[in-house]
Amino acid sequence: MNRIIKLLIPCLFIYLSASAQKDKWIVLFNGKDLQGWDTYMGPQLGLNNDPQHVFSVVKDGNENVIRVTGEGWGGLSTKNEFENYHAQLQFKWGTLTWGNKKGKKMDSGFLYHAVGEHGMDAKAWMRSQEFQIEQGNTGDYWGVAGGIQDIPVTKQGENYVYDANGTLNAFSATSATGRHGTKGADAEKPTGEWNTLDLYCFGDTSIHVVNGKVVMVLFHSRQVDNGVESPLKKGKIQLQSEGAEVFYKGIKLQQISAIPAEIKKQAGLK
């Protein structure tokens, strides 16, 4: 019996170590301040110059959260780049809208694989892939400042809607389908409630998950410069200010060695 126990102990240690590594989250928002992040509110203000406090940490009930007023277009970006990860955050809408977004759908965005100079898109955002955050459209895709991904879709009216069994199309600023792909299902909670977004990025594949539901799978992440395409598989994470008040919390990330089996199954991947 003792011999069997001795043989099992190393196996148990390996299992526990693997489990601990799997659940090792990197906390991106420390719950106190914006340490580890950069702000950018256009070329006139530049980096980390936010006199209107578009990005700040405020109290919501008994916890601190990030508030984005939405007054002006800009981004809050991590200082570090990431590759092959599962990222998670929570968001909820505020009440304010500004400028040309006044009275319209509230809008923000969860940009990933953000690279290059700040302000490459609309003088506000880096080149990236966008996990859209917008009332009624959370989970959509936009290619930002040269970002490209392939998405299986079916055309419904004027929209190209994610369909796991659809035709694979390239989405970019210069493609026939454009740079906007529509999510396959609406899983957003009513305005004012917290939503949980999960993003899985492994290799050149990414998966958008809204409140536990896979709403889009994207392939062959890449970028284009002067007509030449190259892979885009890592970069910073950037949260948008885009004319609407929004709150964020629980922003964290963990490295992965593969897309989890349960997510692949829900997404219909082999």
Side-chain angles (χ1 to χ4, degrees):
M1 180 65 71
N2 288 338
R3 184 169 179 270
I4 294 173
I5 292 173
K6 287 180 180 179
L7 289 171
L8 288 175
I9 286 175
C11 296
L12 180 61
F13 176 78
I14 291 170
Y15 171 77
L16 292 175
S17 296
S19 297
Q21 184 64 34
K22 180 182 177 183
D23 296 328
K24 188 175 181 180
W25 288 97
I26 300 169
V27 176
L28 299 182
F29 170 50
N30 63 19
K32 298 182 294 184
D33 53 36
L34 298 178
Q35 183 178 354
W37 297 79
D38 289 318
T39 63
Y40 185 81
M41 289 302 299
Q44 290 184 329
L45 292 175
L47 203 61
N48 295 317
N49 183 20
D50 181 15
Q52 292 181 300
H53 303 292
V54 172
F55 302 102
S56 65
V57 177
V58 300
K59 205 78 171 176
D60 181 65
N62 295 320
E63 62 183 344
N64 288 334
V65 302
I66 294 174
R67 179 188 183 223
V68 182
T69 67
E71 187 176 6
W73 287 16
L76 178 68
S77 58
T78 59
K79 292 181 182 292
N80 295 327
E81 294 189 344
F82 304 98
E83 181 179 14
N84 294 331
Y85 60 84
H86 166 204
Q88 184 181 89
L89 62 76
Q90 292 176 276
F91 84 91
K92 71 173 181 178
W93 298 113
T95 59
L96 303 175
T97 52
W98 308 86
N100 62 3
K101 296 283 186 174
K102 188 75 173 178
K104 298 180 180 179
K105 288 183 177 181
M106 303 192 83
D107 198 358
S108 184
F110 178 9
L111 309 184
Y112 58 100
H113 298 344
V115 297
E117 298 295 324
H118 289 270
M120 292 177 70
D121 190 288
K123 298 183 179 180
W125 308 301
M126 302 170 73
R127 170 175 296 159
S128 54
Q129 313 292 16
E130 180 174 359
F131 187 147
Q132 171 74 299
I133 299 176
E134 183 182 53
Q135 285 179 312
N137 299 317
T138 297
D140 283 8
Y141 167 76
W142 286 87
V144 181
I148 308 171
Q149 297 219 60
D150 295 340
I151 308 171
V153 294
T154 55
K155 192 171 184 183
Q156 299 180 18
E158 296 300 314
N159 297 321
Y160 291 91
V161 181
Y162 171 72
D163 178 353
N165 299 310
T167 303
L168 200 65
N169 279 267
F171 284 80
S172 75
T174 57
S175 68
T177 49
R179 64 189 184 113
H180 174 219
T182 303
K183 63 184 176 6
D186 184 9
E188 186 180 340
K189 293 181 180 179
T191 298
E193 294 185 20
W194 286 103
N195 296 269
T196 299
L197 304 186
D198 289 277
L199 169 68
Y200 294 87
C201 294
F202 187 74
D204 61 3
T205 297
S206 55
I207 300 178
H208 296 181
V209 182
V210 179
N211 293 317
K213 186 176 183 62
V214 171
V215 298
M216 183 176 289
V217 182
L218 310 95
F219 302 95
H220 312 135
S221 178
R222 57 201 188 276
Q223 59 189 327
V224 62
D225 282 294
N226 299 316
V228 179
E229 294 184 6
S230 61
L232 181 56
K233 298 189 289 185
K234 69 177 181 178
K236 298 180 179 182
I237 287 172
Q238 190 168 55
L239 303 176
Q240 290 180 316
S241 171
E242 196 174 1
E245 184 183 32
V246 60
F247 299 89
Y248 290 100
K249 67 177 183 178
I251 309 172
K252 57 186 181 180
L253 174 150
Q254 63 180 346
Q255 304 297 145
I256 57 175
S257 56
I259 295 171
E262 63 272 19
I263 298 299
K264 289 179 69 173
K265 181 178 180 181
Q266 188 187 156
L269 299 176
K270 294 181 179 180

